[in-house]
Amino acid sequence: RVTLQPLPPKPRPMQIWIDADACPAVIKDIVFRAAERLEISTTLVANRMLRTPPSRFIRAVQVPAGFDVADRHIVDQVGPGDLVITADIPLAAAVLERQAHALNPRGEMYTAANIAERLSMRNFLEELRSSGVQTGGPAAFSQADRQAFGAALDRFLARATR
């Protein structure tokens, strides 16, 4: 008599999540093209309604307004191996804890090796600003940033979709 063992569950396909409230439109466009080309489910999360191109792979989720509501939604939904596009360092840290990947719009992958330093620097600058020190903001988004993001996304997707 043969006893059949249940098949292990199929791994969930990788998804891309975009922290879309502050993500530059050119970055979204690059991700949209990659999602279509590689047929990767991509979700934009924001506290306002967003327009997305007609696609069966791209959708937008509107969350209620509020501090970190979009971030919490992403962390709750992200799975191991997924990619999150964000400039939000605490969100990137939470994503890494969930065994997912995080890429900022300037093309830098957040990793276990660099996230603690990024969090420390962010917290230090926040303390300076709250005490009245003018720290300036990030540099203007440039063509070089756009190219660095496109190259980093391509490298990541080439590895992830093998």
Side-chain angles (χ1 to χ4, degrees):
R1 186 170 163 155
V2 175
T3 305
L4 295 176
Q5 296 296 319
L7 292 172
K10 267 184 137 179
R12 176 177 147 292
M14 181 196 68
Q15 296 182 43
I16 298 174
W17 298 87
I18 301 176
D19 180 14
D21 280 320
C23 186
V26 294
I27 296 305
K28 292 177 202 164
D29 290 341
I30 292 168
V31 176
F32 294 161
R33 286 193 299 275
E36 279 296 311
R37 185 178 74 246
L38 299 171
E39 300 183 351
I40 299 171
S41 175
T42 298
T43 305
L44 290 84
V45 180
N47 60 22
R48 58 187 158 72
M49 201 54 214
L50 297 171
R51 296 178 81 119
T52 59
S55 167
R56 59 182 236 245
F57 303 107
I58 301 167
R59 69 187 186 104
V61 172
Q62 182 178 2
V63 296
F67 186 69
D68 287 344
V69 176
D71 297 357
R72 280 194 304 274
H73 179 83
I74 291 170
V75 170
D76 289 345
Q77 301 299 314
V78 74
D82 286 356
L83 175 65
V84 176
I85 311 298
T86 186
D88 185 299
I89 296 167
L91 172 57
V95 163
L96 292 176
E97 288 176 9
R98 306 265 328 224
Q99 280 76 54
H101 307 275
L103 174 63
N104 80 19
R106 295 179 191 266
E108 178 187 15
M109 286 297 293
Y110 296 106
T111 66
N114 69 20
I115 196 67
E117 178 188 339
R118 300 295 182 285
L119 277 169
S120 292
M121 181 57 76
R122 174 200 170 270
N123 294 339
F124 173 69
L125 291 172
E126 199 167 87
E127 282 180 37
L128 287 176
R129 283 189 293 271
S130 69
S131 66
V133 176
Q134 297 293 319
T135 60
F141 196 76
S142 69
Q143 181 66 26
D145 293 326
R146 177 184 180 170
Q147 290 170 337
F149 176 82
L153 180 65
D154 284 346
R155 281 191 306 272
F156 175 82
L157 293 176
R159 282 192 316 269
T161 59
R162 273 193 210 138

